[in-house]
Amino acid sequence: AQSVTQLDSQVPVFEEAPVELRCNYSSSVSVYLFWYVQYPNQGLQLLLKYLSGSTLVKGINGFEAEFNKSQTSFHLRKPSVHISDTAEYFCAVSDYAGGTSYGKLTFGQGTILTVHP
Amino acid sequence: DAGVTQSPTHLIKTRGQHVTLRCSPISGHKSVSWYQQVLGQGPQFIFQYYEKEERGRGNFPDRFSARQFPNYSSELNVNALLLGDSALYLCASSLGLDRGRRETQYFGPGTRLLVL
């Protein structure tokens, strides 16, 4: 079974400051990793995903994340945030080991990022 | 291009009633997944369908059921509603290749269900 822990439920930050949203996962098999963003009263939108290859993944809106296998982490970063980045962010995993696995996503509890002027 | 659409957007039901939620995937997508998002929590997987067959089911009671139609649209049904079923129900679609493991799932705006 897999689990995802987002270490911060809320992260307040000032505009143009850097931000890091932390995500750790637990799985007995190899996983794919995803970050989604949810704006108020909307569905989820993919920011970026790690499938294989370079551990540094770049996504939309200037976000990036680094996969660290030894620490089972996939932290999301942005060097300079904007007011429009205020939203809830979800880390998710899906496993790919074995013939019976499929694209079921297991999500963390979410981190609310609030950007203040 | 149209994204994933869901209907209705909001719904109010009373305990014990039945509800049907509908989802239309992105054109060309053959896989549909359903998730329940309780307020303040991350989405939880309910079902995944591919080519009208159930590919997987999450840890939800038998009161929850779903189906996928030949046009790849899907319905989620919940019987004997409980107060705890109040949540945002999200539908996601993907191409369904490689059992969907590497694919991006595209989410609809959700149906917000309130059970009184």
Side-chain angles (χ1 to χ4, degrees):
Chain A
Q2 307 148 334
S3 66
V4 177
T5 301
Q6 292 183 239
L7 298 160
D8 306 292
S9 59
Q10 297 193 50
V11 173
V13 65
F14 287 107
E15 195 173 18
E16 297 184 8
V19 70
E20 178 179 82
L21 306 184
R22 297 179 294 168
C23 172
N24 285 92
Y25 68 92
S26 172
S27 177
S28 58
V29 299
S30 298
V31 296
Y32 297 125
L33 296 150
F34 304 80
W35 274 100
Y36 280 86
V37 60
Q38 186 175 34
Y39 298 102
N41 300 313
Q42 294 187 29
L44 280 71
Q45 179 185 5
L46 181 72
L47 281 176
L48 48 80
K49 63 183 178 182
Y50 173 79
L51 302 180
S52 64
S54 173
T55 56
L56 183 63
V57 180
K58 294 190 183 298
I60 62 171
N61 300 339
F63 284 94
E64 63 181 34
E66 185 154 20
F67 170 56
N68 187 319
K69 188 174 182 180
S70 62
Q71 296 187 7
T72 60
S73 68
F74 191 53
H75 300 334
L76 181 70
R77 302 185 183 101
K78 186 170 183 178
S80 176
V81 294
H82 303 291
I83 298 287
S84 59
D85 293 323
T86 294
E88 190 161 16
Y89 293 78
F90 292 95
C91 181
V93 302
S94 81
D95 76 85
Y96 65 81
T100 58
S101 66
Y102 55 96
K104 163 192 167 184
L105 292 173
T106 300
F107 286 88
Q109 304 92 320
T111 297
I112 297 173
L113 173 65
T114 304
V115 181
H116 298 284
Chain B
D1 288 341
V4 177
T5 59
Q6 293 186 242
S7 63
T9 56
H10 294 83
L11 205 50
I12 300 175
K13 293 286 188 178
T14 56
R15 283 177 296 174
Q17 285 190 310
H18 162 271
V19 68
T20 298
L21 310 180
R22 296 178 175 83
C23 171
S24 292
I26 292 171
S27 178
H29 285 191
K30 297 183 178 181
S31 179
V32 169
S33 298
W34 287 95
Y35 293 83
Q36 180 196 64
Q37 186 179 15
V38 173
L39 195 62
Q41 297 183 20
Q44 277 200 292
F45 173 77
I46 311 175
F47 286 109
Q48 187 179 99
Y49 276 77
Y50 175 71
E51 291 277 18
K52 297 175 290 180
E53 297 291 326
E54 182 183 301
R55 185 177 261 173
R57 181 187 184 114
N59 188 23
F60 280 81
D62 291 344
R63 299 185 296 107
F64 288 77
S65 64
R67 54 179 176 169
Q68 187 177 31
F69 299 99
N71 67 353
Y72 304 109
S73 67
S74 178
E75 283 183 354
L76 175 70
N77 294 283
V78 186
N79 292 324
L81 285 167
L82 304 174
L83 296 180
D85 295 331
S86 295
L88 179 68
Y89 288 84
L90 296 164
C91 172
S93 77
S94 66
L95 290 169
L97 305 176
D98 183 35
R99 298 180 62 80
R101 290 172 287 198
R102 299 169 60 91
E103 297 178 343
T104 297
Q105 293 191 27
Y106 295 85
F107 284 81
T111 293
R112 192 165 295 279
L113 172 65
L114 177 61
V115 182
L116 301 176

